[in-house]
Amino acid sequence: MQAVRNGISVSYRMVSRLLEEFELARIEGTAPRLRAKYRRADLLILDDFGVSKLKAAGKHDLLELLDDRIGERATIVCGQLPVENWHAFIDNPTIADAILDRLTSAAHRIELSGQSLRRKVV
């Protein structure tokens, strides 16, 4: 929210929905335009990483998206899957190495603990 208040362009997507967008864009022939859309956002927030299994094409889409943004724009990846399990989750050693390299090369890692902020107050 603070980034938006500061006039920074922000795009927020759940990883599963983002990859569905790319799957549909490939079918429609608009994948380059979709990649450009996400490349332009100053901050891209990818939420719920590790919740849904990644298809082969989705792994490539994620890699290309991160590659387009590396060193140019900020990306935040959120999820409950511990970082040490990301490589196994991606389940393709070559692509996993490439994705994790792009995510960790200049990363600031923040691990949260405690109760969920989504809990309802009674």
Side-chain angles (χ1 to χ4, degrees):
M1 293 302 293
Q2 190 62 44
V4 172
R5 288 183 189 116
N6 290 343
I8 295 171
S9 64
V10 178
S11 186
Y12 167 91
R13 291 290 182 273
M14 290 177 57
V15 171
S16 60
R17 291 183 183 161
L18 173 80
L19 297 179
E20 286 174 0
E21 281 184 75
F22 274 105
E23 190 173 347
L24 183 58
R26 259 192 320 284
I27 292 167
E28 295 174 343
T30 59
R33 190 172 355 151
L34 184 61
R35 272 195 306 276
K37 170 188 167 183
Y38 288 114
R39 186 173 43 246
R40 284 189 303 270
D42 293 322
L43 173 60
L44 175 62
I45 302 170
L46 301 176
D47 197 7
D48 285 337
F49 182 81
V51 171
S52 300
K53 187 169 176 63
L54 300 174
K55 297 178 184 178
K59 295 172 191 178
H60 287 281
D61 291 331
L62 187 58
L63 173 59
E64 288 181 10
L65 176 63
L66 294 171
D67 192 59
D68 286 347
R69 298 181 58 77
I70 192 167
E72 301 294 324
R73 303 281 192 256
T75 304
I76 296 175
V77 179
C78 308
Q80 286 75 34
L81 183 67
V83 173
E84 57 268 11
N85 297 341
W86 287 14
H87 202 278
F89 168 74
I90 295 169
D91 195 31
N92 177 318
T94 304
I95 293 176
D97 284 344
I99 288 173
L100 294 175
D101 177 62
R102 281 150 182 84
L103 286 174
T104 61
S105 63
H108 297 275
R109 186 170 160 186
I110 301 170
E111 291 190 33
L112 303 177
S113 61
Q115 294 183 349
S116 171
L117 296 176
R118 292 184 178 145
R119 291 181 60 143
K120 292 183 180 179
V121 178
V122 185

